[in-house]
Amino acid sequence: MFFPWLGKFVVRFSLAIIAFWTMLTLAAVILPPRWNDVTLDGDLAFLPANMPSVEAEKLFQSAFPHRQAKSQLVFAISRDDAPLDEDDLRFADHLASPLQNAQGISLFRTESESEQGRAGEEQAKPFEYAIDAWDESALLDSHNWYPLWNLAYVAQKTGDTDAMQQYQAQAISINPELKGKPLALVPEDYEKWNQFDVLTRHTQIRGNMLTSKDGHAVLVVVESRNEFMATDNIRVLQEATQYVYQWREKAKEAGLTHLQIGVTGNAAIGGEMLLAAKQSIANTELYTILLVIIILLVIYRAPMMLAVPLLTIAVSFIISSWVVAMLTQVHLLPGMEWFDFKVFKTSRIFIVVILFGAGTDFCLFLIGRYREELAECGEHAQAVSRALTGVGEALTASAMTTVVGLGMMFFADFEKYRNSGPAIGLCLLITLFTCLTLSPAIMKFLGPVIFWPWGDTKQFAEQSKPIGATWWHHMAVFICRRPGLTLTAVVVLLGIIGAPSIYRRVTTGKSVDVSYDLFADLGNDRMAKQTALRLRKHFPLGESGPLTILLVNPDGKFDDYEGKQIISDVATAIYTANDDIVRVFTSQQPLGDKPSKFSVSTGRGWNKLMLLNHRRTKEFFLAQNPNQRGEIALARVMFDCNPFSNQAIGLLHDVETTLQEKISTFPPPWNKTKIYIKGTTPSIRDLKLVTTRDQTRIERGVIAAVFLVLVVILRRPMVCAYMILSVLFSYYVTLGVTETFFRLVYADTYHALDWKVPLFLFVILAAIGQDYNVYLATRVFEEQKRLGKTPGLIRGITTTGGIITSCGVVMAGTFASMCMGTLLGVIEIGFALTVGVLLDTFVVRTIMLPCFLALMNRFVKDDAAPTTSTSV
C-alpha cells in the first residue's frame, strides 16, 4: 500500500517536492565540507594496525624519532653511451646544490618557529644540521652564493661576527650586487617539498648507495615527510618536474646533451598515481554524462524527457557527495570519536558510474511504465501515479540488492574496502529516494511539455511503442518451447570461457591470478615511471624499495662488542638467504659490503674505519630514542627484483626464515631477538594477505545478503537461488574474458589482472546483476497472476525486454567510461564490469532466467493455455 500512497502524494505535492530537493541541493553546493577537502588516497597507509609491516613502521618511528622521512623524490642523472665523466658528476652536484640549500632553510625555519629549545643544546642541534646542509650546498656548487649568504645570516643570529663577515665576503665575491644588502634567508621561493633530508653521492654513509656500480647513473635523493600517497605530492611532483625541465635546459646550455635527467621515487610515483586518478575521475565523469545523454536520446527520441533522469541524477550526485563528505567529520563531535569514517578519491569513479547507471535505469523503468499507463488511461497525472505504484517495489528491491551487497564490504579488515562499499551504497540509496520522488514530480510538473516534439499525449504514446516488442515476443515463445535445449547450449558455450576460472577457484581458492604492482598501474608516458625504468639498467630492481630490518632485544646491547658481533652474524645470514640479495647495510658494514676482515691500506677499508664511529652511522643504524638505545639495531637490505612482485615476497619469506633459524642458534639473551621488517615488499605482502582474506569474507556475505533480500522480495527460494548461481556463472565467464583480453592486448608486458578487479567485479556484478533479474521476475509474476504461467512469462519477457536491454546498455556504457581513464587498474575494472553487465543483460536475463522459469512452469499446473498471440 505504500507505493500507491506515494504515487498520489507525489502527484499532489509535486512543486513542494521539487522545492525541497532544490533547497537541499543548494545547501550541498554552498555548505562545507567539500569532497576534495576530506578525501584520502593510497592503499598501504590503510592496512590494519595489527599487520606486521604496520607494527614494524610504528616501532621504527618510535626508535628513530628524528627519521621523519616517509617518501622520497629521486632525481636521476644518467647516460647510456658511457660512464659519467667529471663534467657530468659536477653537473649532478650543481643540480643538488639548490636542494641542499632549501633543506638548510627548512631545517632552520622549523627550529626557529618552534617554541621549544630556543636556547642551549636543543637549539644547537637543528642549527648544526642546517649549517651542515648549507656547507654541503656550497661545496656542491662553488658558484652558488645562496648557502654562503645563509651561513652568514645564521652566524649573525648566533653572534659569531667573524664567521658572518667571512661568509658574507665569500658570497659578495660571487655576486657583487649583494654588497650593502641586509642578511636574510635566500631565496624566498625555495623548494618547499616538506623535505627532511637531501642525500647526494658525497653524503656520509648513504652516499655510497647513490652511484651505480657501472658508473652510468648518479642519484640525488630528497627525503620528504609526506606520505607516499599524500595529496600534497601532486604539487610536489609538479614542482619537481619543472625543476627537471629547468636543469635539462641548463644541460643543453652546458653542452651536456647526452645526459638523461628525470625524477622518480615513491613520492613522485604517488604524485603520478594521484594525478592519474584525478584525470581518470574527470574522464569518467565527462564520458559517462556524454554516453548517458546519447543513449537516452536514442531511447526516448524526446529531448525534453532527458531532463527527468539528468536532473534527478545531478541532484542525487551533488547531495550524496555532500552527505558522504559530512560523515567524515562526525568524529569531531563530542562523544563520536569512535565514528572514524573515511572516503577515498578513487571511490568517486564508482559513485559516478553507479549513480549515473543505476539512476538512469530507475528513471527508464519509471518512464517506461509511465508510457504504458499513459497509453491506457490517457490522463497525465494518473499515469504518473500509476507508474510509480507499478514499479516502486521493483526499483526499491533492485536498489536494495545493490546497497546490501556493497554494504557487506563494511566487514572487511582493509580500511579502504570497509569505508568505500558503504559510501557507494549510501549514495545509491539517496539516488533511489530522488528517483522515487523527484523524477515523478518533474514529470508531473512538465506535463505535456515533456512530449515535445511529438505534440500531444496520444501521439507520443502511439509513437513510443517499445522498439522490437515483436522480436521479444517471438524470442519468449521460442524459449518457452525449448527451455532445456536453449539453457544447455548457453551454459556449454560460455562454460568453455569460464571453466578455467571456476577450476582455479575450486583447486587454489583464487579465480584468477592478480598483481599488486602499483607501479605497473601507471602509463609509460609518466616521467616518474620512465625514469624508474631507465634506472633499472644501472641499479638493482629493489633499489626503490629496500627492506628495513629491525633487530629488537631489550636484554642485549647492540652498541657493545657482543652486540656488534651479533649484527655482523645477522648480515652474513641475510646474504645467504637468497641469491637476489645485493647489499646489506648495518652499523658494522655501513658501505654494504659482506662482513669480512678489512685493511686500512685500501681506500675502501679506510672509509669504512672512518664511518664506523661516525655520528650519522649511529643515527642511521642504532635506535636514537633514549628509552630504546642499544636495544634496537637496523639493517637495510638491497635486492635485485621488483619490490612489488611475488618474487620479492618469496625473498622476504626467505630472509625471515633464515634469520629466525640463525637467531635460534645465538647464545642467551640474543636467541630471544625479535625481527620486524618494513618496506614496500612487506606492505605489499600484508596487503595481499588482508585483501585475499577480505575477498572471501565479502563474497560469502554478499551471496548470503543478496539471497535474503531476493527471498524477501520474491518469496520464491528456488528462483532466488538460481538467480545467484546464474550471476556467479557470469562472474567467472567475465573473469575469463577479461583475463584473455588483457593478456592478448598487453602480450609480454602482461603479468596479471589488478588485485582490485575480482572483488569489485564480484560485489558490483552480484548486486547490480540482480537488478535485471528482479525487474524481469517481478513483472513475470505480476503477469502470471493475470494470464497464467506460460502466457504470463511470455508477456513479462515481451514487455520488459526492450526497457531492460536499454537499462543494461546504459549501465554498460557508464562502466565503459572507466576505460577512458589513465590508471590500468581502473581500465581493467571498467572493462570487466562492462562485459559482466552486457552478459547479464543479453544472456542471464534474456535467456538463462526465462529458460529456468519456463522449466519450472512444466512442473507447476498452468491455469491458462500458452498462446503465441499474447498482446504486447
Side-chain angles (χ1 to χ4, degrees):
M1 295 298 293
F2 173 74
F3 289 105
W5 172 85
L6 181 62
K8 294 175 183 177
F9 178 84
V10 170
V11 168
R12 184 177 179 183
F13 299 103
S14 57
L15 287 177
I17 291 171
I18 293 173
F20 168 78
W21 285 110
T22 301
M23 294 298 293
L24 197 57
T25 303
L26 290 174
V29 171
I30 296 172
L31 299 177
R34 300 283 185 269
W35 173 275
N36 290 331
D37 294 338
V38 299
T39 49
L40 307 170
D41 218 323
D43 295 317
L44 305 183
F46 300 100
L47 291 169
N50 61 348
M51 300 307 290
S53 63
V54 178
E55 292 178 341
E57 181 63 37
K58 289 180 180 177
L59 180 62
F60 176 82
Q61 294 297 330
S62 171
F64 298 88
H66 298 298
R67 293 274 297 282
Q68 302 171 38
K70 297 179 180 178
S71 62
Q72 294 180 333
L73 282 173
V74 178
F75 293 90
I77 300 91
S78 63
R79 61 184 296 179
D80 293 331
D81 57 332
L84 298 170
D85 58 28
E86 284 301 316
D87 289 336
D88 299 331
L89 293 172
R90 192 178 302 109
F91 182 84
D93 291 343
H94 290 178
L95 180 148
S97 180
L99 301 177
Q100 280 285 13
N101 181 64
Q103 170 66 9
I105 298 174
S106 178
L107 288 170
F108 183 85
R109 283 187 167 165
T110 298
E111 176 58 25
S112 297
E113 293 170 1
S114 65
E115 294 182 359
Q116 50 185 329
R118 287 196 174 269
E121 237 176 2
E122 291 297 322
Q123 185 180 16
K125 188 173 182 179
F127 278 16
E128 181 183 356
Y129 285 127
I131 291 169
D132 285 348
W134 285 324
D135 280 338
E136 185 165 351
S137 176
L139 290 172
L140 289 169
D141 185 358
S142 59
H143 298 290
N144 185 2
W145 60 269
Y146 289 137
L148 297 170
W149 197 253
N150 291 331
L151 286 167
Y153 174 76
V154 75
Q156 182 187 58
K157 296 284 286 185
T158 55
D160 191 342
T161 305
D162 292 339
M164 179 196 74
Q165 293 175 349
Q166 178 184 350
Y167 288 127
Q168 192 175 28
Q170 291 176 2
I172 292 173
S173 68
I174 299 172
N175 183 5
E177 294 181 3
L178 294 174
K179 193 171 184 179
K181 290 189 176 182
L183 292 171
L185 292 178
V186 289
E188 293 183 1
D189 58 341
Y190 66 97
E191 292 75 16
K192 301 179 181 70
W193 297 340
N194 201 17
Q195 58 263 49
F196 169 71
D197 201 0
V198 177
L199 311 176
T200 71
R201 65 191 180 99
H202 303 287
T203 303
Q204 294 286 356
I205 312 301
R206 299 177 67 183
N208 184 63
M209 311 175 194
L210 304 182
T211 302
S212 65
K213 286 187 176 181
D214 61 9
H216 283 256
V218 65
L219 308 179
V220 176
V221 178
V222 178
E223 294 191 326
S224 171
R225 295 180 178 88
N226 285 350
E227 294 283 355
F228 161 54
M229 291 287 282
T231 306
D232 186 48
N233 279 347
I234 294 179
R235 175 191 64 82
V236 171
L237 173 65
Q238 290 171 334
E239 293 181 7
T241 302
Q242 289 302 315
Y243 191 80
V244 168
Y245 289 148
Q246 292 172 12
W247 281 92
R248 284 179 178 177
E249 290 299 318
K250 291 181 180 181
K252 290 179 182 178
E253 294 171 2
L256 303 175
T257 55
H258 54 271
L259 288 182
Q260 297 172 311
I261 306 170
V263 64
T264 186
N266 54 2
I269 296 293
E272 293 280 27
M273 293 185 70
L274 289 170
L275 273 175
K278 187 177 180 180
Q279 292 168 1
S280 294
I281 292 170
N283 290 344
T284 299
E285 290 178 353
L286 174 62
Y287 286 105
T288 297
I289 294 170
L290 290 177
L291 280 169
V292 167
I293 291 174
I294 292 170
I295 293 172
L296 290 179
L297 279 173
V298 172
I299 294 171
Y300 288 148
R301 309 185 301 282
M304 286 302 297
M305 194 162 282
L306 265 66
V308 178
L310 291 180
L311 287 175
T312 301
I313 295 168
V315 167
S316 63
F317 178 71
I318 293 170
I319 293 174
S320 60
S321 298
W322 178 56
V323 170
V324 169
M326 282 199 299
L327 288 177
T328 65
Q329 307 302 300
V330 171
H331 70 282
L332 300 176
L333 298 174
M336 295 298 293
E337 295 80 7
W338 57 271
F339 191 85
D340 187 22
F341 181 76
K342 296 180 177 67
V343 63
F344 301 89
K345 289 187 181 298
T346 47
S347 298
R348 190 178 182 92
I349 295 176
F350 295 99
I351 291 173
V352 168
V353 296
I354 291 177
L355 259 61
F356 271 82
T360 304
D361 285 358
F362 295 160
C363 291
L364 277 172
F365 263 89
L366 179 62
I367 295 172
R369 189 60 177 261
Y370 159 73
R371 285 174 165 179
E372 293 182 34
E373 301 295 344
L374 182 64
E376 182 177 330
C377 72
E379 204 281 314
H380 180 72
Q382 186 180 358
V384 172
S385 178
R386 288 170 61 174
L388 187 55
T389 301
V391 301
E393 185 175 349
L395 295 184
T396 303
S398 166
M400 290 310 299
T401 58
T402 307
V403 170
V404 170
L406 290 167
M408 289 300 102
M409 295 176 71
F410 172 77
F411 298 101
D413 289 329
F414 185 38
E415 205 167 2
K416 201 168 185 179
Y417 284 169
R418 189 168 67 246
N419 289 277
S420 296
I424 300 169
L426 175 60
C427 292
L428 182 59
L429 204 57
I430 293 173
T431 302
L432 173 67
F433 293 153
T434 58
C435 290
L436 291 177
T437 55
L438 182 60
S439 294
I442 294 174
M443 292 164 62
K444 169 62 171 59
F445 175 74
L446 291 177
V449 177
I450 201 173
F451 307 131
W452 182 86
W454 298 109
D456 58 46
T457 303
K458 183 177 180 181
Q459 184 179 1
F460 176 79
E462 291 174 353
Q463 293 286 345
S464 63
K465 186 176 180 180
I467 300 173
T470 304
W471 186 88
W472 287 108
H473 174 74
H474 290 312
M475 184 174 182
V477 172
F478 176 81
I479 287 174
C480 289
R481 286 176 177 171
R482 297 180 179 83
L485 178 62
T486 305
L487 182 59
T488 301
V490 169
V491 171
V492 169
L493 289 174
L494 293 180
I496 295 172
I497 302 173
S501 296
I502 297 173
Y503 177 77
R504 272 184 293 200
R505 182 57 186 263
V506 173
T507 56
T508 67
K510 299 186 299 181
S511 306
V512 66
D513 291 330
V514 295
S515 169
Y516 288 80
D517 192 345
L518 307 182
F519 179 73
D521 219 13
L522 286 174
N524 290 330
D525 59 333
R526 303 278 176 174
M527 182 188 290
K529 185 170 184 178
Q530 291 174 344
T531 305
L533 292 174
R534 189 164 63 246
L535 288 179
R536 288 183 176 182
K537 302 175 186 176
H538 311 296
F539 288 93
L541 290 177
E543 173 77 23
S544 61
L547 299 178
T548 299
I549 301 176
L550 298 173
L551 305 172
V552 182
N553 193 320
D555 299 323
K557 292 295 180 182
F558 286 106
D559 51 0
D560 63 15
Y561 176 79
E562 189 177 9
K564 292 176 181 178
Q565 185 58 49
I566 292 293
I567 292 173
S568 295
D569 291 345
V570 165
T572 302
I574 293 173
Y575 274 110
T576 66
N578 192 287
D579 291 339
D580 286 324
I581 292 175
V582 179
R583 283 176 168 182
V584 180
F585 298 86
T586 67
S587 59
Q588 297 309 109
Q589 298 296 333
L591 297 179
D593 299 327
K594 289 185 178 182
S596 62
K597 294 182 179 180
F598 66 93
S599 171
V600 295
S601 61
T602 64
R604 194 169 184 83
W606 179 255
N607 286 340
K608 177 181 175 180
L609 181 63
M610 294 294 291
L611 291 175
L612 281 176
N613 294 309
H614 195 279
R615 181 193 73 194
R616 281 184 176 261
T617 302
K618 295 178 180 178
E619 290 176 352
F620 191 82
F621 293 109
L622 298 175
Q624 295 301 294
N625 186 329
N627 297 326
Q628 297 169 306
R629 191 161 289 158
E631 298 177 2
I632 299 176
L634 179 149
R636 185 180 175 92
V637 180
M638 311 288 275
F639 51 92
D640 193 17
C641 58
N642 183 351
F644 294 98
S645 66
N646 289 328
Q647 182 183 357
I649 293 176
L651 179 145
L652 172 62
H653 175 74
D654 292 343
V655 169
E656 288 178 327
T657 303
T658 301
L659 285 181
Q660 288 166 357
E661 292 174 354
K662 183 65 178 178
I663 289 172
S664 66
T665 66
F666 290 159
W670 300 107
N671 60 346
K672 301 296 183 182
T673 300
K674 294 182 179 180
I675 60 171
Y676 295 83
I677 307 180
K678 67 181 284 287
T680 300
T681 303
S683 296
I684 290 296
R685 182 182 63 175
D686 288 349
L687 179 65
K688 182 178 182 179
L689 177 65
V690 72
T691 54
T692 301
R693 190 171 61 209
D694 281 345
Q695 179 157 351
T696 302
R697 182 185 304 157
I698 292 170
E699 285 178 352
R700 293 172 180 172
V702 169
I703 291 172
V706 172
F707 177 75
L708 290 175
V709 172
L710 291 175
V711 169
V712 170
I713 296 166
L714 301 177
R715 298 179 180 84
R716 303 185 186 220
M718 282 188 62
V719 175
C720 298
Y722 179 80
M723 287 180 175
I724 294 290
L725 289 174
S726 64
V727 171
L728 286 177
F729 178 71
S730 70
Y731 164 73
Y732 289 113
V733 173
T734 301
L735 276 182
V737 172
T738 304
E739 183 180 30
T740 302
F741 175 81
F742 283 97
R743 189 182 297 277
L744 290 174
V745 170
Y746 288 93
D748 295 339
T749 61
Y750 176 84
H751 299 291
L753 292 176
D754 185 82
W755 59 278
K756 296 182 287 294
V757 173
L759 179 69
F760 279 98
L761 176 64
F762 183 90
V763 172
I764 295 175
L765 204 59
I768 289 181
Q770 298 299 344
D771 290 1
Y772 308 134
N773 287 339
V774 170
Y775 291 150
L776 173 61
T778 53
R779 187 59 183 267
V780 167
F781 298 151
E782 178 185 338
E783 296 295 342
Q784 285 179 336
K785 290 178 182 178
R786 296 192 305 113
L787 304 175
K789 297 298 180 182
T790 302
L793 175 58
I794 294 174
R795 172 71 177 176
I797 296 172
T798 303
T799 54
T800 61
I803 195 67
I804 293 180
T805 301
S806 300
C807 290
V809 171
V810 170
M811 183 66 78
T814 59
F815 284 134
S817 66
M818 295 174 67
C819 298
M820 303 301 174
T822 56
L823 286 173
L824 180 59
V826 174
I827 294 172
E828 290 177 352
I829 294 173
F831 178 87
L833 288 172
T834 302
V835 172
V837 170
L838 291 176
L839 270 175
D840 275 340
T841 303
F842 292 102
V843 179
V844 175
R845 185 272 312 174
T846 304
I847 300 174
M848 295 182 67
L849 180 58
C851 284
F852 180 78
L853 295 176
L855 287 172
M856 284 192 64
N857 288 346
R858 296 188 177 186
F859 299 96
V860 179
K861 185 178 179 181
D862 198 351
D863 55 355
T867 176
T868 59
S869 60
T870 305
S871 61
V872 179

